[in-house]
Amino acid sequence: VKDKFISTPASANKLWVLMQVLIAIIGLPLHALSLVFNYLPYIVPYKIAIKTCKHIEFVASVIIGSAAFLFLFSFIIWGSLIALLAPTIALKIIAFLAAPLLGLYSLQYYSFLKNTAIRWRIVFNKSTVTVLQIRREELLKELDSVLLGKIRSRSKTTPAS
C-alpha cells in the first residue's frame, strides 16, 4: 500500500470507491479486447530477452528491438484479419486504428485497477489502515529525529566561516 493512499482521507470514501469499482467493471471488456490484440507482442519480447541475453545490460535493448518488430508484425496480421472479416470500409478503418489505441487504454486501465483495489482494501479494512497510519507517524517522527540529530552533529563539527 502506497503512502499516498494511507495519508489522504479522500481515498477512503466508500461511495467514491464503489463508483471506481463500477467504472472498472464497465471498462473491463475493452481491457480484455486490448489483451487479445496486444498481450502476445508485449510478453514475447521479454521472454526472448531473458532467454537470449547473458548480460543484464542488453535486456532492455533486446526487448525494445524485438517488441518493435513483433508489434508491427502483430498489427499487420490483425489488420489483415480485420480486412477480411469486417464488412464495411469504415469498420475496417476503425478496427485497425483501435488496436494500438486499446493498448494505451489497457496500460492506463491496469494502473487504475490496481489503485481501485488498494482503495477497496483501505475502505473495507479500517483496522489495518489505522495500524498503518500509526506506524507511518512513528516512522516519520523517528526519521525526523535521526535527521535532526545528524544535522546538529554536523553543525557542531564544522567550523563557522
Side-chain angles (χ1 to χ4, degrees):
V1 177
K2 293 182 181 177
D3 188 46
K4 70 178 180 178
F5 295 113
I6 299 297
S7 61
T8 56
S11 66
N13 185 349
K14 285 185 181 182
L15 183 62
W16 178 250
V17 171
L18 290 174
M19 191 169 69
Q20 285 184 321
V21 168
L22 181 64
I23 291 169
I25 291 170
I26 291 170
L28 192 60
L30 280 177
H31 179 65
L33 185 62
S34 172
L35 289 178
V36 168
F37 281 120
N38 296 302
Y39 187 71
L40 273 177
Y42 173 76
I43 200 69
V44 169
Y46 175 76
K47 301 283 186 187
I48 290 172
I50 295 302
K51 293 278 186 188
T52 60
C53 292
K54 294 190 186 337
H55 301 288
I56 192 77
E57 296 86 13
F58 301 116
V59 170
S61 300
V62 171
I63 289 174
I64 289 173
S66 57
F69 172 76
L70 286 172
F71 270 103
L72 179 64
F73 187 67
S74 170
F75 288 138
I76 289 171
I77 290 173
W78 281 114
S80 301
L81 283 172
I82 290 168
L84 290 173
L85 299 175
T88 64
I89 296 287
L91 192 58
K92 291 176 185 181
I93 292 171
I94 290 171
F96 188 71
L97 293 176
L101 294 177
L102 280 172
L104 294 174
Y105 168 79
S106 187
L107 186 65
Q108 294 299 317
Y109 178 82
Y110 180 72
S111 175
F112 172 76
L113 196 61
K114 275 188 359 183
N115 292 341
T116 301
I118 291 170
R119 286 188 178 101
W120 177 274
R121 285 184 293 208
I122 288 172
V123 165
F124 294 104
N125 199 356
K126 289 286 188 189
S127 61
T128 304
V129 171
T130 305
V131 169
L132 287 174
Q133 285 174 332
I134 292 169
R135 287 185 183 167
R136 176 184 182 272
E137 290 301 320
E138 290 171 356
L139 283 171
L140 287 175
K141 286 178 185 175
E142 188 175 331
L143 183 62
D144 283 343
S145 68
V146 168
L147 289 176
L148 281 175
K150 286 189 177 198
I151 291 171
R152 286 183 185 143
S153 68
R154 283 188 181 171
S155 65
K156 290 179 183 176
T157 59
T158 57
S161 316

